[in-house]
Amino acid sequence: RMATFAQQAYRVVSRKKRDDGDGVCMESAHIVWCWRMGMLFCCLSKRIHSIFVLRLFNDGPAMLLFYISAALFASSKYRIGCIFYSLAVGIKMNILLFAPGLLLVLLQAHDNIYQVIFCLAICASVQLALGLPFLAFNWVH
């Protein structure tokens, strides 16, 4: 019977681990130690902390507003759902990743393309209203 190289390698490794029980314990202890040291370095590094921890602060409120909008879309309240979706985008831009699905839902739910454009205009107007205080101020000195 012909066995592939991967099967033969697995047999060699499994025999080695069965024959040498201490090797398995030492190997797993080494892996645990490496993970602990890696976590320590991640906690002490300010750059890693800022990249992986600080970016999570707005995820909760943004996803809460997105879930509210998804519930409103599920209950066929598309205009109010667009308002909540746009508010979620105003908190965190990664909610825009749901935009193709939102467009598909709007296109399937409405018979008239003008209703879809109106819902998208609601999203755009909420974004404009959120940015108006920043757009109205002259930042050039």
Side-chain angles (χ1 to χ4, degrees):
R1 188 171 132 194
M2 296 288 293
T4 65
F5 175 74
Q7 290 171 335
Q8 291 174 358
Y10 177 75
R11 285 187 195 136
V12 170
V13 171
S14 65
R15 278 192 200 133
K16 169 82 172 106
K17 289 194 178 203
R18 271 189 307 204
D19 295 341
D20 186 20
D22 294 335
V24 173
C25 291
M26 292 302 291
E27 187 176 316
S28 63
H30 177 70
I31 291 172
V32 169
W33 182 81
C34 288
W35 274 102
R36 286 182 181 169
M37 290 305 292
M39 292 303 291
L40 176 70
F41 289 137
C42 284
C43 291
L44 294 178
S45 169
K46 290 186 184 229
R47 178 155 176 84
I48 298 289
H49 182 266
S50 68
I51 289 172
F52 293 109
V53 175
L54 295 178
R55 71 178 180 159
L56 299 176
F57 282 147
N58 292 334
D59 280 349
M63 288 306 293
L64 175 68
L65 288 173
F66 173 72
Y67 288 146
I68 291 171
S69 71
L72 289 168
F73 291 139
S75 62
S76 299
K77 297 178 182 175
Y78 298 105
R79 293 178 182 169
I80 300 171
C82 284
I83 292 171
F84 278 96
Y85 176 78
S86 191
L87 288 172
V89 169
I91 292 176
K92 191 145 185 178
M93 291 288 288
N94 68 348
I95 303 298
L96 278 175
L97 295 172
F98 296 105
L102 172 62
L103 181 62
L104 183 66
V105 166
L106 290 175
L107 287 171
Q108 288 179 347
H110 295 94
D111 295 330
N112 192 350
I113 191 71
Y114 295 113
Q115 293 174 345
V116 175
I117 292 172
F118 183 73
C119 287
L120 295 177
I122 289 173
C123 293
S125 63
V126 169
Q127 287 301 308
L128 189 63
L130 289 174
L132 195 61
F134 301 101
L135 295 171
F137 185 74
N138 187 6
W139 290 95
V140 179
H141 296 288

mmCIF file of all heavy atoms in Angstrom, residues 81-131:
data_model
loop_
_atom_site.group_PDB
_atom_site.id
_atom_site.type_symbol
_atom_site.label_atom_id
_atom_site.label_comp_id
_atom_site.label_asym_id
_atom_site.label_seq_id
_atom_site.Cartn_x
_atom_site.Cartn_y
_atom_site.Cartn_z
ATOM 1 N N GLY A 81 -33.935 52.874 9.456
ATOM 2 C CA GLY A 81 -32.749 52.032 9.453
ATOM 3 C C GLY A 81 -31.569 52.716 8.788
ATOM 4 O O GLY A 81 -30.422 52.577 9.234
ATOM 5 N N CYS A 82 -31.824 53.484 7.728
ATOM 6 C CA CYS A 82 -30.741 54.222 7.064
ATOM 7 C C CYS A 82 -30.173 55.300 7.975
ATOM 8 O O CYS A 82 -28.969 55.578 7.946
ATOM 9 C CB CYS A 82 -31.245 54.829 5.766
ATOM 10 S SG CYS A 82 -31.412 53.632 4.446
ATOM 11 N N ILE A 83 -31.033 55.912 8.789
ATOM 12 C CA ILE A 83 -30.540 56.915 9.738
ATOM 13 C C ILE A 83 -29.599 56.264 10.744
ATOM 14 O O ILE A 83 -28.490 56.765 11.000
ATOM 15 C CB ILE A 83 -31.727 57.610 10.444
ATOM 16 C CG1 ILE A 83 -32.500 58.460 9.448
ATOM 17 C CG2 ILE A 83 -31.244 58.456 11.617
ATOM 18 C CD1 ILE A 83 -33.802 59.012 9.982
ATOM 19 N N PHE A 84 -30.006 55.140 11.322
ATOM 20 C CA PHE A 84 -29.158 54.475 12.303
ATOM 21 C C PHE A 84 -27.887 53.911 11.664
ATOM 22 O O PHE A 84 -26.816 53.940 12.270
ATOM 23 C CB PHE A 84 -29.932 53.368 13.028
ATOM 24 C CG PHE A 84 -30.771 53.887 14.148
ATOM 25 C CD1 PHE A 84 -32.113 54.156 13.963
ATOM 26 C CD2 PHE A 84 -30.227 54.114 15.399
ATOM 27 C CE1 PHE A 84 -32.896 54.635 14.985
ATOM 28 C CE2 PHE A 84 -30.988 54.598 16.433
ATOM 29 C CZ PHE A 84 -32.331 54.862 16.225
ATOM 30 N N TYR A 85 -27.990 53.421 10.436
ATOM 31 C CA TYR A 85 -26.805 52.932 9.731
ATOM 32 C C TYR A 85 -25.811 54.072 9.519
ATOM 33 O O TYR A 85 -24.612 53.914 9.744
ATOM 34 C CB TYR A 85 -27.190 52.310 8.388
ATOM 35 C CG TYR A 85 -26.002 51.871 7.588
ATOM 36 C CD1 TYR A 85 -25.343 50.689 7.894
ATOM 37 C CD2 TYR A 85 -25.506 52.645 6.550
ATOM 38 C CE1 TYR A 85 -24.229 50.288 7.185
ATOM 39 C CE2 TYR A 85 -24.395 52.254 5.837
ATOM 40 C CZ TYR A 85 -23.765 51.073 6.150
ATOM 41 O OH TYR A 85 -22.654 50.688 5.452
ATOM 42 N N SER A 86 -26.299 55.215 9.120
ATOM 43 C CA SER A 86 -25.416 56.344 8.882
ATOM 44 C C SER A 86 -24.811 56.874 10.183
ATOM 45 O O SER A 86 -23.659 57.312 10.198
ATOM 46 C CB SER A 86 -26.168 57.451 8.156
ATOM 47 O OG SER A 86 -25.281 58.423 7.705
ATOM 48 N N LEU A 87 -25.559 56.820 11.263
ATOM 49 C CA LEU A 87 -24.988 57.191 12.565
ATOM 50 C C LEU A 87 -23.868 56.230 12.964
ATOM 51 O O LEU A 87 -22.846 56.649 13.522
ATOM 52 C CB LEU A 87 -26.075 57.214 13.631
ATOM 53 C CG LEU A 87 -27.075 58.361 13.561
ATOM 54 C CD1 LEU A 87 -28.201 58.150 14.565
ATOM 55 C CD2 LEU A 87 -26.388 59.691 13.788
ATOM 56 N N ALA A 88 -24.057 54.943 12.657
ATOM 57 C CA ALA A 88 -23.004 53.962 12.953
ATOM 58 C C ALA A 88 -21.761 54.238 12.114
ATOM 59 O O ALA A 88 -20.635 54.129 12.608
ATOM 60 C CB ALA A 88 -23.523 52.547 12.704
ATOM 61 N N VAL A 89 -21.951 54.609 10.856
ATOM 62 C CA VAL A 89 -20.810 54.959 10.006
ATOM 63 C C VAL A 89 -20.116 56.208 10.541
ATOM 64 O O VAL A 89 -18.889 56.314 10.481
ATOM 65 C CB VAL A 89 -21.265 55.161 8.547
ATOM 66 C CG1 VAL A 89 -20.166 55.769 7.701
ATOM 67 C CG2 VAL A 89 -21.696 53.833 7.947
ATOM 68 N N GLY A 90 -20.876 57.123 11.103
ATOM 69 C CA GLY A 90 -20.290 58.321 11.686
ATOM 70 C C GLY A 90 -19.414 58.026 12.884
ATOM 71 O O GLY A 90 -18.485 58.781 13.180
ATOM 72 N N ILE A 91 -19.687 56.947 13.576
ATOM 73 C CA ILE A 91 -18.856 56.571 14.720
ATOM 74 C C ILE A 91 -17.601 55.850 14.262
ATOM 75 O O ILE A 91 -16.496 56.164 14.694
ATOM 76 C CB ILE A 91 -19.650 55.706 15.708
ATOM 77 C CG1 ILE A 91 -20.730 56.545 16.368
ATOM 78 C CG2 ILE A 91 -18.737 55.114 16.766
ATOM 79 C CD1 ILE A 91 -21.630 55.769 17.284
ATOM 80 N N LYS A 92 -17.763 54.880 13.385
ATOM 81 C CA LYS A 92 -16.602 54.115 12.930
ATOM 82 C C LYS A 92 -16.796 53.724 11.475
ATOM 83 O O LYS A 92 -17.826 53.186 11.088
ATOM 84 C CB LYS A 92 -16.428 52.865 13.794
ATOM 85 C CG LYS A 92 -15.119 52.184 13.547
ATOM 86 C CD LYS A 92 -14.567 51.578 14.782
ATOM 87 C CE LYS A 92 -13.190 51.041 14.427
ATOM 88 N NZ LYS A 92 -12.517 50.477 15.516
ATOM 89 N N MET A 93 -15.770 53.978 10.677
ATOM 90 C CA MET A 93 -15.883 53.809 9.230
ATOM 91 C C MET A 93 -15.934 52.350 8.789
ATOM 92 O O MET A 93 -16.327 52.068 7.664
ATOM 93 C CB MET A 93 -14.692 54.492 8.544
ATOM 94 C CG MET A 93 -14.726 55.988 8.639
ATOM 95 S SD MET A 93 -15.968 56.718 7.610
ATOM 96 C CE MET A 93 -15.268 56.470 6.017
ATOM 97 N N ASN A 94 -15.534 51.411 9.637
ATOM 98 C CA ASN A 94 -15.552 50.010 9.184
ATOM 99 C C ASN A 94 -16.973 49.483 8.996
ATOM 100 O O ASN A 94 -17.157 48.425 8.404
ATOM 101 C CB ASN A 94 -14.752 49.116 10.118
ATOM 102 C CG ASN A 94 -15.366 48.961 11.478
ATOM 103 O OD1 ASN A 94 -16.291 49.682 11.835
ATOM 104 N ND2 ASN A 94 -14.849 48.033 12.246
ATOM 105 N N ILE A 95 -17.966 50.223 9.439
ATOM 106 C CA ILE A 95 -19.357 49.845 9.185
ATOM 107 C C ILE A 95 -19.673 49.973 7.689
ATOM 108 O O ILE A 95 -20.595 49.357 7.181
ATOM 109 C CB ILE A 95 -20.310 50.714 10.041
ATOM 110 C CG1 ILE A 95 -19.972 50.582 11.522
ATOM 111 C CG2 ILE A 95 -21.760 50.352 9.823
ATOM 112 C CD1 ILE A 95 -20.128 49.203 12.088
ATOM 113 N N LEU A 96 -18.873 50.765 6.971
ATOM 114 C CA LEU A 96 -19.055 50.876 5.523
ATOM 115 C C LEU A 96 -18.870 49.541 4.814
ATOM 116 O O LEU A 96 -19.300 49.382 3.677
ATOM 117 C CB LEU A 96 -18.078 51.894 4.936
ATOM 118 C CG LEU A 96 -18.499 53.343 5.035
ATOM 119 C CD1 LEU A 96 -17.389 54.239 4.533
ATOM 120 C CD2 LEU A 96 -19.760 53.574 4.244
ATOM 121 N N LEU A 97 -18.231 48.592 5.462
ATOM 122 C CA LEU A 97 -18.071 47.266 4.862
ATOM 123 C C LEU A 97 -19.419 46.565 4.665
ATOM 124 O O LEU A 97 -19.527 45.639 3.872
ATOM 125 C CB LEU A 97 -17.145 46.400 5.715
ATOM 126 C CG LEU A 97 -15.700 46.897 5.790
ATOM 127 C CD1 LEU A 97 -14.926 46.090 6.810
ATOM 128 C CD2 LEU A 97 -15.046 46.812 4.426
ATOM 129 N N PHE A 98 -20.441 47.015 5.383
ATOM 130 C CA PHE A 98 -21.780 46.450 5.219
ATOM 131 C C PHE A 98 -22.568 47.141 4.109
ATOM 132 O O PHE A 98 -23.698 46.751 3.828
ATOM 133 C CB PHE A 98 -22.578 46.557 6.527
ATOM 134 C CG PHE A 98 -21.993 45.763 7.662
ATOM 135 C CD1 PHE A 98 -21.316 46.398 8.695
ATOM 136 C CD2 PHE A 98 -22.128 44.394 7.698
ATOM 137 C CE1 PHE A 98 -20.786 45.681 9.736
ATOM 138 C CE2 PHE A 98 -21.590 43.665 8.742
ATOM 139 C CZ PHE A 98 -20.918 44.301 9.765
ATOM 140 N N ALA A 99 -22.013 48.179 3.507
ATOM 141 C CA ALA A 99 -22.737 48.976 2.518
ATOM 142 C C ALA A 99 -23.174 48.179 1.282
ATOM 143 O O ALA A 99 -24.298 48.388 0.811
ATOM 144 C CB ALA A 99 -21.908 50.191 2.113
ATOM 145 N N PRO A 100 -22.353 47.280 0.722
ATOM 146 C CA PRO A 100 -22.861 46.510 -0.416
ATOM 147 C C PRO A 100 -24.083 45.662 -0.068
ATOM 148 O O PRO A 100 -25.032 45.567 -0.859
ATOM 149 C CB PRO A 100 -21.673 45.631 -0.819
ATOM 150 C CG PRO A 100 -20.481 46.360 -0.321
ATOM 151 C CD PRO A 100 -20.917 47.038 0.931
ATOM 152 N N GLY A 101 -24.095 45.081 1.121
ATOM 153 C CA GLY A 101 -25.264 44.321 1.550
ATOM 154 C C GLY A 101 -26.473 45.209 1.758
ATOM 155 O O GLY A 101 -27.601 44.827 1.422
ATOM 156 N N LEU A 102 -26.241 46.395 2.300
ATOM 157 C CA LEU A 102 -27.345 47.342 2.481
ATOM 158 C C LEU A 102 -27.932 47.747 1.138
ATOM 159 O O LEU A 102 -29.157 47.804 0.973
ATOM 160 C CB LEU A 102 -26.859 48.573 3.242
ATOM 161 C CG LEU A 102 -27.837 49.737 3.348
ATOM 162 C CD1 LEU A 102 -29.091 49.332 4.101
ATOM 163 C CD2 LEU A 102 -27.180 50.929 3.994
ATOM 164 N N LEU A 103 -27.079 48.013 0.165
ATOM 165 C CA LEU A 103 -27.570 48.375 -1.160
ATOM 166 C C LEU A 103 -28.388 47.240 -1.770
ATOM 167 O O LEU A 103 -29.445 47.464 -2.357
ATOM 168 C CB LEU A 103 -26.404 48.744 -2.080
ATOM 169 C CG LEU A 103 -26.789 49.157 -3.494
ATOM 170 C CD1 LEU A 103 -27.650 50.407 -3.476
ATOM 171 C CD2 LEU A 103 -25.561 49.344 -4.340
ATOM 172 N N LEU A 104 -27.926 46.022 -1.597
ATOM 173 C CA LEU A 104 -28.673 44.868 -2.114
ATOM 174 C C LEU A 104 -30.029 44.735 -1.432
ATOM 175 O O LEU A 104 -31.046 44.493 -2.095
ATOM 176 C CB LEU A 104 -27.859 43.587 -1.937
ATOM 177 C CG LEU A 104 -28.472 42.318 -2.491
ATOM 178 C CD1 LEU A 104 -28.567 42.399 -4.009
ATOM 179 C CD2 LEU A 104 -27.656 41.111 -2.079
ATOM 180 N N VAL A 105 -30.064 44.930 -0.116
ATOM 181 C CA VAL A 105 -31.335 44.859 0.610
ATOM 182 C C VAL A 105 -32.285 45.954 0.133
ATOM 183 O O VAL A 105 -33.473 45.709 -0.088
ATOM 184 C CB VAL A 105 -31.094 44.960 2.133
ATOM 185 C CG1 VAL A 105 -32.375 45.243 2.892
ATOM 186 C CG2 VAL A 105 -30.451 43.686 2.646
ATOM 187 N N LEU A 106 -31.751 47.163 -0.050
ATOM 188 C CA LEU A 106 -32.601 48.267 -0.506
ATOM 189 C C LEU A 106 -33.113 48.019 -1.919
ATOM 190 O O LEU A 106 -34.270 48.315 -2.221
ATOM 191 C CB LEU A 106 -31.838 49.586 -0.439
ATOM 192 C CG LEU A 106 -31.540 50.121 0.961
ATOM 193 C CD1 LEU A 106 -30.671 51.367 0.879
ATOM 194 C CD2 LEU A 106 -32.808 50.385 1.732
ATOM 195 N N LEU A 107 -32.264 47.487 -2.784
ATOM 196 C CA LEU A 107 -32.700 47.211 -4.151
ATOM 197 C C LEU A 107 -33.757 46.109 -4.205
ATOM 198 O O LEU A 107 -34.678 46.159 -5.021
ATOM 199 C CB LEU A 107 -31.506 46.838 -5.023
ATOM 200 C CG LEU A 107 -30.569 47.985 -5.400
ATOM 201 C CD1 LEU A 107 -29.325 47.454 -6.082
ATOM 202 C CD2 LEU A 107 -31.286 48.988 -6.281
ATOM 203 N N GLN A 108 -33.638 45.112 -3.343
ATOM 204 C CA GLN A 108 -34.621 44.032 -3.325
ATOM 205 C C GLN A 108 -35.924 44.454 -2.663
ATOM 206 O O GLN A 108 -36.989 43.938 -2.992
ATOM 207 C CB GLN A 108 -34.056 42.807 -2.618
ATOM 208 C CG GLN A 108 -32.990 42.094 -3.413
ATOM 209 C CD GLN A 108 -32.425 40.901 -2.675
ATOM 210 O OE1 GLN A 108 -32.648 40.724 -1.478
ATOM 211 N NE2 GLN A 108 -31.687 40.068 -3.393
ATOM 212 N N ALA A 109 -35.851 45.390 -1.733
ATOM 213 C CA ALA A 109 -37.048 45.773 -0.983
ATOM 214 C C ALA A 109 -37.912 46.789 -1.725
ATOM 215 O O ALA A 109 -39.120 46.831 -1.516
ATOM 216 C CB ALA A 109 -36.650 46.344 0.378
ATOM 217 N N HIS A 110 -37.304 47.598 -2.566
ATOM 218 C CA HIS A 110 -38.053 48.651 -3.236
ATOM 219 C C HIS A 110 -38.211 48.331 -4.714
ATOM 220 O O HIS A 110 -37.291 47.862 -5.370
ATOM 221 C CB HIS A 110 -37.335 49.997 -3.072
ATOM 222 C CG HIS A 110 -37.274 50.462 -1.661
ATOM 223 N ND1 HIS A 110 -36.199 50.218 -0.841
ATOM 224 C CD2 HIS A 110 -38.171 51.146 -0.911
ATOM 225 C CE1 HIS A 110 -36.414 50.743 0.333
ATOM 226 N NE2 HIS A 110 -37.624 51.311 0.326
ATOM 227 N N ASP A 111 -39.402 48.621 -5.211
ATOM 228 C CA ASP A 111 -39.669 48.409 -6.627
ATOM 229 C C ASP A 111 -39.140 49.562 -7.481
ATOM 230 O O ASP A 111 -38.780 49.379 -8.631
ATOM 231 C CB ASP A 111 -41.175 48.259 -6.865
ATOM 232 C CG ASP A 111 -41.712 47.019 -6.185
ATOM 233 O OD1 ASP A 111 -40.949 46.050 -6.053
ATOM 234 O OD2 ASP A 111 -42.895 47.025 -5.789
ATOM 235 N N ASN A 112 -39.088 50.734 -6.896
ATOM 236 C CA ASN A 112 -38.719 51.936 -7.620
ATOM 237 C C ASN A 112 -37.289 52.327 -7.242
ATOM 238 O O ASN A 112 -36.950 52.388 -6.054
ATOM 239 C CB ASN A 112 -39.692 53.056 -7.263
ATOM 240 C CG ASN A 112 -39.567 54.242 -8.156
ATOM 241 O OD1 ASN A 112 -38.639 54.342 -8.950
ATOM 242 N ND2 ASN A 112 -40.517 55.165 -8.017
ATOM 243 N N ILE A 113 -36.465 52.636 -8.221
ATOM 244 C CA ILE A 113 -35.081 53.017 -7.958
ATOM 245 C C ILE A 113 -35.004 54.354 -7.234
ATOM 246 O O ILE A 113 -34.057 54.620 -6.493
ATOM 247 C CB ILE A 113 -34.255 53.037 -9.265
ATOM 248 C CG1 ILE A 113 -32.758 53.169 -8.979
ATOM 249 C CG2 ILE A 113 -34.702 54.161 -10.178
ATOM 250 C CD1 ILE A 113 -32.148 51.968 -8.385
ATOM 251 N N TYR A 114 -36.032 55.188 -7.398
ATOM 252 C CA TYR A 114 -36.037 56.483 -6.731
ATOM 253 C C TYR A 114 -36.178 56.343 -5.216
ATOM 254 O O TYR A 114 -35.660 57.173 -4.469
ATOM 255 C CB TYR A 114 -37.136 57.376 -7.302
ATOM 256 C CG TYR A 114 -36.889 57.722 -8.754
ATOM 257 C CD1 TYR A 114 -37.733 57.239 -9.745
ATOM 258 C CD2 TYR A 114 -35.799 58.498 -9.124
ATOM 259 C CE1 TYR A 114 -37.492 57.539 -11.078
ATOM 260 C CE2 TYR A 114 -35.552 58.800 -10.447
ATOM 261 C CZ TYR A 114 -36.399 58.313 -11.426
ATOM 262 O OH TYR A 114 -36.161 58.613 -12.740
ATOM 263 N N GLN A 115 -36.858 55.319 -4.773
ATOM 264 C CA GLN A 115 -36.947 55.069 -3.331
ATOM 265 C C GLN A 115 -35.591 54.656 -2.771
ATOM 266 O O GLN A 115 -35.227 55.037 -1.658
ATOM 267 C CB GLN A 115 -37.995 53.993 -3.054
ATOM 268 C CG GLN A 115 -39.401 54.432 -3.365
ATOM 269 C CD GLN A 115 -40.399 53.285 -3.217
ATOM 270 O OE1 GLN A 115 -40.025 52.121 -3.157
ATOM 271 N NE2 GLN A 115 -41.678 53.648 -3.177
ATOM 272 N N VAL A 116 -34.841 53.881 -3.535
ATOM 273 C CA VAL A 116 -33.491 53.486 -3.113
ATOM 274 C C VAL A 116 -32.591 54.720 -3.050
ATOM 275 O O VAL A 116 -31.843 54.908 -2.091
ATOM 276 C CB VAL A 116 -32.909 52.422 -4.067
ATOM 277 C CG1 VAL A 116 -31.466 52.107 -3.713
ATOM 278 C CG2 VAL A 116 -33.760 51.175 -4.045
ATOM 279 N N ILE A 117 -32.687 55.569 -4.057
ATOM 280 C CA ILE A 117 -31.887 56.794 -4.069
ATOM 281 C C ILE A 117 -32.273 57.693 -2.901
ATOM 282 O O ILE A 117 -31.406 58.333 -2.281
ATOM 283 C CB ILE A 117 -32.049 57.515 -5.429
ATOM 284 C CG1 ILE A 117 -31.399 56.670 -6.525
ATOM 285 C CG2 ILE A 117 -31.450 58.909 -5.393
ATOM 286 C CD1 ILE A 117 -31.648 57.168 -7.927
ATOM 287 N N PHE A 118 -33.563 57.730 -2.551
ATOM 288 C CA PHE A 118 -33.999 58.524 -1.402
ATOM 289 C C PHE A 118 -33.392 57.978 -0.102
ATOM 290 O O PHE A 118 -32.935 58.757 0.746
ATOM 291 C CB PHE A 118 -35.530 58.555 -1.319
ATOM 292 C CG PHE A 118 -36.037 59.406 -0.200
ATOM 293 C CD1 PHE A 118 -35.961 60.785 -0.280
ATOM 294 C CD2 PHE A 118 -36.586 58.825 0.930
ATOM 295 C CE1 PHE A 118 -36.421 61.582 0.753
ATOM 296 C CE2 PHE A 118 -37.050 59.607 1.963
ATOM 297 C CZ PHE A 118 -36.969 60.991 1.881
ATOM 298 N N CYS A 119 -33.377 56.653 0.047
ATOM 299 C CA CYS A 119 -32.768 56.060 1.249
ATOM 300 C C CYS A 119 -31.269 56.351 1.315
ATOM 301 O O CYS A 119 -30.731 56.649 2.385
ATOM 302 C CB CYS A 119 -33.014 54.559 1.281
ATOM 303 S SG CYS A 119 -34.713 54.102 1.664
ATOM 304 N N LEU A 120 -30.599 56.297 0.175
ATOM 305 C CA LEU A 120 -29.175 56.629 0.147
ATOM 306 C C LEU A 120 -28.948 58.108 0.416
ATOM 307 O O LEU A 120 -27.947 58.489 1.034
ATOM 308 C CB LEU A 120 -28.564 56.216 -1.187
ATOM 309 C CG LEU A 120 -28.558 54.710 -1.464
ATOM 310 C CD1 LEU A 120 -28.001 54.429 -2.841
ATOM 311 C CD2 LEU A 120 -27.786 53.957 -0.406
ATOM 312 N N ALA A 121 -29.879 58.950 -0.018
ATOM 313 C CA ALA A 121 -29.789 60.381 0.276
ATOM 314 C C ALA A 121 -29.971 60.641 1.764
ATOM 315 O O ALA A 121 -29.362 61.573 2.321
ATOM 316 C CB ALA A 121 -30.831 61.151 -0.529
ATOM 317 N N ILE A 122 -30.789 59.830 2.424
ATOM 318 C CA ILE A 122 -30.930 59.937 3.886
ATOM 319 C C ILE A 122 -29.581 59.654 4.544
ATOM 320 O O ILE A 122 -29.145 60.393 5.434
ATOM 321 C CB ILE A 122 -32.017 58.981 4.407
ATOM 322 C CG1 ILE A 122 -33.401 59.467 3.987
ATOM 323 C CG2 ILE A 122 -31.946 58.852 5.926
ATOM 324 C CD1 ILE A 122 -34.510 58.492 4.315
ATOM 325 N N CYS A 123 -28.914 58.601 4.090
ATOM 326 C CA CYS A 123 -27.587 58.275 4.642
ATOM 327 C C CYS A 123 -26.611 59.423 4.419
ATOM 328 O O CYS A 123 -25.860 59.803 5.320
ATOM 329 C CB CYS A 123 -27.047 57.001 4.009
ATOM 330 S SG CYS A 123 -27.939 55.508 4.427
ATOM 331 N N ALA A 124 -26.608 59.984 3.218
ATOM 332 C CA ALA A 124 -25.686 61.079 2.905
ATOM 333 C C ALA A 124 -26.010 62.328 3.714
ATOM 334 O O ALA A 124 -25.099 63.031 4.176
ATOM 335 C CB ALA A 124 -25.736 61.371 1.416
ATOM 336 N N SER A 125 -27.295 62.622 3.915
ATOM 337 C CA SER A 125 -27.660 63.828 4.659
ATOM 338 C C SER A 125 -27.299 63.701 6.134
ATOM 339 O O SER A 125 -26.909 64.694 6.763
ATOM 340 C CB SER A 125 -29.145 64.137 4.481
ATOM 341 O OG SER A 125 -29.930 63.090 5.009
ATOM 342 N N VAL A 126 -27.411 62.501 6.686
ATOM 343 C CA VAL A 126 -26.990 62.310 8.084
ATOM 344 C C VAL A 126 -25.484 62.521 8.199
ATOM 345 O O VAL A 126 -25.008 63.168 9.143
ATOM 346 C CB VAL A 126 -27.415 60.911 8.596
ATOM 347 C CG1 VAL A 126 -26.770 60.599 9.930
ATOM 348 C CG2 VAL A 126 -28.922 60.835 8.717
ATOM 349 N N GLN A 127 -24.726 62.017 7.242
ATOM 350 C CA GLN A 127 -23.281 62.227 7.265
ATOM 351 C C GLN A 127 -22.943 63.712 7.133
ATOM 352 O O GLN A 127 -22.032 64.209 7.796
ATOM 353 C CB GLN A 127 -22.607 61.438 6.144
ATOM 354 C CG GLN A 127 -22.573 59.958 6.383
ATOM 355 C CD GLN A 127 -21.834 59.602 7.664
ATOM 356 O OE1 GLN A 127 -20.705 60.020 7.880
ATOM 357 N NE2 GLN A 127 -22.499 58.846 8.523
ATOM 358 N N LEU A 128 -23.665 64.405 6.293
ATOM 359 C CA LEU A 128 -23.443 65.844 6.136
ATOM 360 C C LEU A 128 -23.794 66.588 7.420
ATOM 361 O O LEU A 128 -23.081 67.507 7.831
ATOM 362 C CB LEU A 128 -24.273 66.370 4.968
ATOM 363 C CG LEU A 128 -23.989 67.803 4.545
ATOM 364 C CD1 LEU A 128 -22.567 67.951 4.052
ATOM 365 C CD2 LEU A 128 -24.964 68.213 3.464
ATOM 366 N N ALA A 129 -24.881 66.181 8.068
ATOM 367 C CA ALA A 129 -25.275 66.823 9.330
ATOM 368 C C ALA A 129 -24.246 66.554 10.428
ATOM 369 O O ALA A 129 -23.962 67.436 11.245
ATOM 370 C CB ALA A 129 -26.655 66.328 9.760
ATOM 371 N N LEU A 130 -23.673 65.352 10.443
ATOM 372 C CA LEU A 130 -22.645 65.049 11.444
ATOM 373 C C LEU A 130 -21.359 65.829 11.188
ATOM 374 O O LEU A 130 -20.661 66.225 12.124
ATOM 375 C CB LEU A 130 -22.340 63.542 11.446
ATOM 376 C CG LEU A 130 -23.406 62.622 12.013
ATOM 377 C CD1 LEU A 130 -23.010 61.171 11.818
ATOM 378 C CD2 LEU A 130 -23.646 62.917 13.480
ATOM 379 N N GLY A 131 -21.042 66.059 9.928
ATOM 380 C CA GLY A 131 -19.814 66.762 9.604
ATOM 381 C C GLY A 131 -19.945 68.259 9.497
ATOM 382 O O GLY A 131 -18.945 68.956 9.336
#
